[in-house]
Amino acid sequence: MPTSQVQRDQFGGLLRTLRLERGLTQEELAEAAGSSVRGIREMERGRVRSPQRRTVVLLADALRLAGPDRDRFVALARAQRQRHDHAAAPHDGPAVVVPGELPAALPDLAGRAEILARLSALAADVTAGRPDTASVVVLHGPPGIGKTSLAVAAGHRLSPAFAGGQLFVDLQGVPPGGPVDPAEALAGLLRSLGVPDNRVPVSPAERGGLFRTLTRDRPLLVVLDNAANEAQVRPLLPAGRGCLALITCRRPLTGLAGAVRQPLDLLAPAAGRLLLAAIVGADRIAAEPAAADQLVALCGRLPLALRIAGNRLASRPQWSVGWLVDLLRDQRRRLTVLTAGDLGIRSAFEISYRQLDPTTARVFRRASLIPGTDFGPALVAAVAGTDEETATTALEELVEAGVLLTVGDRYQFHDLVRLYAQERLDAEEQAEEQPACRTRAHDQMVDWLLRRTRQAGAMFEPVACRADSPFDDDRAAAYWLDRESGNWLAALRDAARSGRHADVVAVARALHWYSDATSHRHPWEEIFSLGVAAARAAGSPRDEAVLLNFLGWARYFCQDRNTDGLATLAQALELARRIGDRREEAWALTYTAAIHIRIGRAGSAIDHCRRAVALFREIGYALGEHSAASAQGTALAALGRFAEAAEWHREVLAFYGQGNGLSRTGAAVARAGAMMSLAADLAGMGRWRDAADEYARARRVFHRCGATFSEANAVHRYGLALQALSEADAADEALRAALDLYGALSCPWWEAQTLHALAALADAAPDRAADARLLRQRALDRCGELDAPEVRTLRDTLRRELAGS
């Protein structure tokens, strides 16, 4: 070993020995000597070849050295400095050094081929000297997303294009070791480029200037890993047009002008399986494909979590994939299970969490109580006990910190981050502020959601009092109800479990008129069932009668459960008569008539409708009267009395076109419904063109109102009208559009009917026999386990047609 190396080892070894003898950590010695932790570490390792005299003196003071010990310590440092200066003296400039500092690349990187290709194309533009090409790329994303792995892999792939070398700096942008001071990082970069220690400028500005000078005409790749912020990165960017800087950071570093920002997303499920197979072995993953898919899902498709899971399986060959899946299913243990050696999901999140200010940390913890998959600032403000502006600021900071995701203008936890936030909530708020604090936050959130849901529903009620509502109109209310459905529905369930009967009844009743426009978008059967149970528990027969009618409607109209709907409406009718509630009696008769029409009992339906019309007229409820009149017209049409039916429906249509107390959306949906009924009458009279035009008008109204099921039904009927007009291509297009809409809402009975109609169209084309058979088979599949007379009839028809094809 050269003498100079021995001297360096002696000084570094002596420094370390003295520090340990005095029981000091590197951090404590650095603080006492006014130095940096990294500087102490580099001196102990012998990497600082020319320690400055002032630094040595300060270290001697911090180590409380005196007499011969102090003289020896200072002499060793001086001897090392002299030898290095002597060796460097003959050179007028830095030696030409081609650094290759990239760490080893992971052999099993998965799911990043597209980004790597994008970086390769960018590097080609940089090395070609194209003036409009960005030379800085920020790879950003949440903890554990694989930023460093991708940067290193990209660095190795791109290194042949950068003959000047590859520099790598860990900026330690997150605690405990960092962040690294930019001046210290610059000194390291200059040394890597061959600048001797004694030629490294003292001032940060001069170091930056020298670095830019050395990189101006040099094709260089610089990887700046784990950056803290823009200020840390700016002095470290090379100046040459042929240089490329790859920066990894949890934040997007939006303050860096001219940089290309590449967010890293979660791995696709297939890429997650590939990563597991690369770590564990393809045969082992292929042997349990379903368990492997579950493992990818439980790891949240996060590369770090998948790598840890893979490492655990690789180190335990006796474990099945299913065994690890069973361990991870327990949410209380999932973060603990996802630990392998020095890799851990919890510690990755901990680093970001500890940098949050107290208000932001509180928002982070409390937001984990929100039950839905995504949320907005107003709800976060309610659960965190703060104002909306503060909540918004905190949420944006959490996004910047990489612990919260954005979905449009809303926010979302990664599943594993949510578990960590809940851990912090339990550990900090239950321990320090008593368990009642968490309960209070939860109750604040539920109260806010229930109140806001009632206010939104009220915007659809006829002649509703909308004073002091947070919503400008019914469309704004519908927008909120749709976006927050996962949250308000969870709050309603929570209130039901907690015995808050009055609140459950109030919310369920408030949502009735909104449900007309969104019949298949939300689980109305469940919502109104909760309302019925709450009304019974509260001992309120009037509320129970109302909600039984709503429930009967949901069962027949939304779920095609005609028998269950009739049974529920029979309860509503009996209860309404018992308590003398004529309005609910009339509604029960109207809904029952609608089911009778469906199941081929139009005669009894007319009788029910006449009684309902009379009751509504008696109590002066015009809206109910015209609803029952519309059902009566439909019953007449079912009996083939189309001209009479059309007269009823024209009268109903005129009523909905004038002031009737309904909300704008409610009136539009009701009017379009009357158009549908009139179109059916016209079709029954053979006036197919007029019917098609009426269906088309209804479709446009339903679409504007967001009434997707009704829109699908209008498109479906429009397609049938075109089919009757022998416009086969247009009919096929319309029916397929209806099929897509039904499929999005999961309406198997209506899908089956549409597929059967498409099969009939295919029959008319001589070369589409195979298509027709496939369409009938799909229709039969969609009938599934449905059990109703009309379903059984269609099922028998399909089987007969398939047997004969």
Side-chain angles (χ1 to χ4, degrees):
M1 180 181 293
T3 305
S4 60
Q5 184 64 48
V6 173
Q7 287 279 32
R8 288 197 295 273
D9 288 347
Q10 287 177 347
F11 175 72
L14 178 60
L15 175 61
R16 184 173 185 276
T17 299
L18 292 170
R19 176 177 63 77
L20 293 175
E21 285 178 352
R22 284 151 178 77
L24 297 173
T25 65
Q26 289 179 339
E27 289 78 4
E28 290 168 339
L29 178 57
E31 183 177 359
S35 184
S36 68
V37 176
R38 183 170 180 174
I40 300 294
R41 184 164 59 245
E42 297 297 283
M43 280 188 278
E44 288 188 355
R45 293 175 178 174
R47 293 179 180 174
V48 176
R49 291 166 283 183
S50 181
Q52 298 296 317
R53 183 179 181 282
R54 175 172 173 74
T55 300
V56 173
V57 171
L58 290 173
L59 284 171
D61 292 341
L63 292 167
R64 302 185 302 279
L65 295 177
D69 290 338
R70 185 184 184 94
D71 293 342
R72 179 168 179 263
F73 182 79
V74 173
L76 279 173
R78 183 171 57 248
Q80 178 169 310
R81 189 164 56 249
Q82 289 173 346
R83 287 180 178 274
H84 176 70
D85 291 346
H86 176 73
H91 303 283
D92 294 326
V96 177
V97 176
V98 179
E101 299 182 343
L102 294 173
L106 289 171
D108 47 24
L109 190 73
R112 304 302 189 199
E114 185 177 339
I115 298 177
L116 286 170
R118 198 174 301 139
L119 293 175
S120 295
L122 180 64
D125 288 343
V126 168
T127 54
R130 294 197 173 93
D132 57 344
T133 300
S135 59
V136 177
V137 179
V138 181
L139 303 173
H140 63 93
I145 202 70
K147 300 179 289 294
T148 299
S149 298
L150 176 61
V152 171
H156 282 283
R157 174 180 286 202
L158 304 179
S159 59
F162 297 95
Q166 306 87 43
L167 297 171
F168 183 91
V169 183
D170 181 1
L171 294 174
Q172 302 178 45
V174 291
V180 172
D181 185 273
E184 187 177 341
L186 276 170
L189 289 169
L190 291 172
R191 294 188 192 101
S192 296
L193 292 173
V195 178
D197 283 344
N198 65 324
R199 300 293 180 88
V200 173
V202 174
S203 90
E206 291 177 348
R207 289 180 182 181
L210 180 56
F211 177 66
R212 290 189 292 275
T213 298
L214 294 177
T215 59
R216 180 163 287 114
D217 300 314
R218 186 169 186 168
L220 196 68
L221 175 66
V222 180
V223 178
L224 303 174
D225 188 39
N226 202 6
N229 50 46
E230 294 89 342
Q232 186 190 34
V233 164
R234 283 193 188 97
L236 311 180
L237 298 178
R241 288 177 118 178
C243 297
L244 178 65
L246 297 181
I247 305 167
T248 72
C249 187
R250 297 186 179 189
R251 303 170 181 269
L253 300 182
T254 53
L256 280 185
V260 173
R261 289 168 185 83
Q262 176 62 61
L264 269 62
D265 294 326
L266 300 171
L267 294 179
R273 289 192 298 273
L274 283 175
L275 178 56
L276 287 174
I279 299 171
V280 178
D283 292 344
R284 197 168 166 191
I285 296 301
E288 298 179 79
D293 288 343
Q294 290 176 319
L295 182 56
V296 172
L298 287 169
C299 289
R301 298 187 283 123
L302 191 68
L304 177 60
L306 286 164
R307 189 169 298 283
I308 291 170
N311 289 348
R312 295 209 69 179
L313 285 172
S315 64
R316 293 167 176 81
Q318 73 278 13
W319 280 14
S320 67
V321 178
W323 174 261
L324 182 55
V325 166
D326 289 340
L327 289 178
L328 290 172
R329 280 203 179 98
D330 185 348
Q331 292 189 358
R332 297 167 300 177
R333 297 194 299 166
R334 190 174 301 169
L335 297 183
T336 300
V337 173
L338 288 174
T339 303
D342 61 352
L343 291 179
I345 289 294
R346 184 182 286 108
S347 59
F349 299 153
E350 182 84 13
I351 290 170
S352 290
Y353 177 71
R354 291 306 173 194
Q355 296 180 84
L356 302 176
D357 64 75
T359 299
T360 305
R362 178 187 178 89
V363 167
F364 175 73
R365 296 191 302 268
R366 294 288 184 87
S368 69
L369 291 171
I370 296 173
T373 56
D374 56 75
F375 42 85
L379 178 54
V380 172
V383 72
T386 186
D387 60 87
E388 191 169 342
E389 183 178 353
T390 300
T392 301
T393 301
L395 289 167
E396 286 299 312
E397 177 59 28
L398 292 170
V399 172
E400 284 281 307
V403 293
L404 207 60
L405 308 173
T406 55
V407 185
D409 60 348
R410 291 171 69 78
Y411 302 88
Q412 186 178 67
F413 276 111
H414 183 276
D415 289 346
L416 297 178
V417 177
R418 182 190 287 271
L419 291 178
Y420 175 76
Q422 290 172 343
E423 281 190 358
R424 298 320 315 154
L425 181 69
D426 291 339
E428 297 183 33
E429 301 209 13
Q430 285 200 14
E432 297 177 11
E433 303 177 36
Q434 307 304 318
C437 184
R438 173 174 179 166
T439 302
R440 187 164 55 252
H442 172 270
D443 290 347
Q444 286 174 188
M445 174 187 67
V446 171
D447 289 344
W448 186 88
L449 283 166
L450 295 179
R451 181 173 62 256
R452 189 61 61 95
T453 304
R454 288 198 305 273
Q455 292 170 325
M459 299 299 292
F460 294 85
E461 293 177 2
V463 200
C465 176
R466 302 184 179 99
D468 300 323
S469 175
F471 303 105
D472 293 334
D473 54 28
D474 55 309
R475 292 184 181 177
Y479 184 68
W480 184 88
L481 285 165
D482 287 348
R483 280 159 59 94
E484 295 290 351
S485 60
N487 293 313
W488 63 252
L489 181 55
L492 186 65
R493 291 167 178 154
D494 186 278
R497 286 192 301 269
S498 303
R500 298 174 58 170
H501 307 310
D503 287 331
V504 174
V505 168
V507 169
R509 290 199 60 164
L511 290 171
H512 167 61
W513 291 99
Y514 165 69
S515 71
D516 274 352
T518 57
S519 56
H520 290 66
R521 194 176 307 162
H522 302 300
W524 295 115
E525 198 271 345
E526 178 192 1
I527 291 166
F528 296 138
S529 290
L530 291 174
V532 169
R536 286 174 180 161
S540 176
R542 289 193 180 276
D543 287 323
E544 184 182 348
V546 171
L547 289 160
L548 278 169
N549 272 324
F550 297 171
L551 179 58
W553 168 83
R555 284 176 170 163
Y556 90 81
F557 191 81
C558 303
Q559 297 187 325
D560 299 306
R561 291 162 52 191
N562 296 326
T563 302
D564 291 341
L566 282 174
T568 304
L569 292 168
Q571 294 178 49
L573 183 62
E574 189 277 330
L575 180 57
R577 284 173 173 167
R578 177 157 52 86
I579 63 176
D581 191 329
R582 294 183 178 183
R583 176 163 157 167
E584 293 312 314
E585 179 184 353
W587 277 122
L589 289 169
T590 304
Y591 290 141
T592 300
I595 300 178
H596 282 187
I597 295 167
R598 281 187 165 203
I599 61 179
R601 295 167 58 183
S604 63
I606 289 177
D607 181 57
H608 282 76
C609 289
R610 284 173 178 163
R611 289 155 59 197
V613 167
L615 284 169
F616 281 131
R617 189 172 293 160
E618 181 181 335
I619 62 176
Y621 188 41
L623 186 59
E625 179 184 343
H626 285 84
S627 294
S630 181
Q632 183 165 346
T634 303
L636 288 168
L639 293 173
R641 296 159 62 178
F642 299 112
E644 291 178 71
E647 289 304 314
W648 282 90
H649 289 138
R650 286 192 179 97
E651 182 181 337
V652 171
L653 188 57
F655 171 77
Y656 287 131
Q658 40 185 291
N660 48 50
L662 286 170
S663 66
R664 180 170 50 178
T665 299
V669 169
R671 189 170 65 254
M675 292 176 190
M676 291 282 290
S677 298
L678 179 58
D681 302 335
L682 295 170
M685 290 186 278
R687 294 169 56 182
W688 289 107
R689 177 59 61 193
D690 292 337
D693 292 344
E694 206 68 42
Y695 284 132
R697 280 193 288 272
R699 174 194 185 178
R700 290 192 291 271
V701 175
F702 286 135
H703 180 76
R704 286 198 300 271
C705 295
T708 308
F709 172 77
S710 296
E711 179 188 355
N713 201 241
V715 180
H716 181 184
R717 302 294 181 186
Y718 176 67
L720 295 178
L722 294 176
Q723 184 180 13
L725 290 166
S726 299
E727 298 178 14
D729 290 343
D732 187 88
E733 181 181 356
L735 289 169
R736 291 186 184 279
L739 186 63
D740 289 342
L741 290 169
Y742 285 139
L745 295 171
S746 186
C747 302
W749 166 234
W750 293 96
E751 288 179 71
Q753 294 179 83
T754 310
L755 287 163
H756 189 221
L758 284 166
L761 278 173
D763 284 337
D767 58 342
R768 294 189 61 197
D771 288 346
R773 181 174 181 81
L774 179 60
L775 288 164
R776 286 189 171 88
Q777 188 60 60
R778 288 175 60 194
L780 189 60
D781 291 341
R782 296 311 291 148
C783 286
E785 302 300 320
L786 296 174
D787 187 23
E790 60 270 30
V791 180
R792 290 194 292 272
T793 299
L794 178 59
R795 188 184 288 120
D796 292 342
T797 300
L798 288 165
R799 286 171 175 162
R800 185 171 60 253
E801 291 173 350
L802 283 167
S805 63

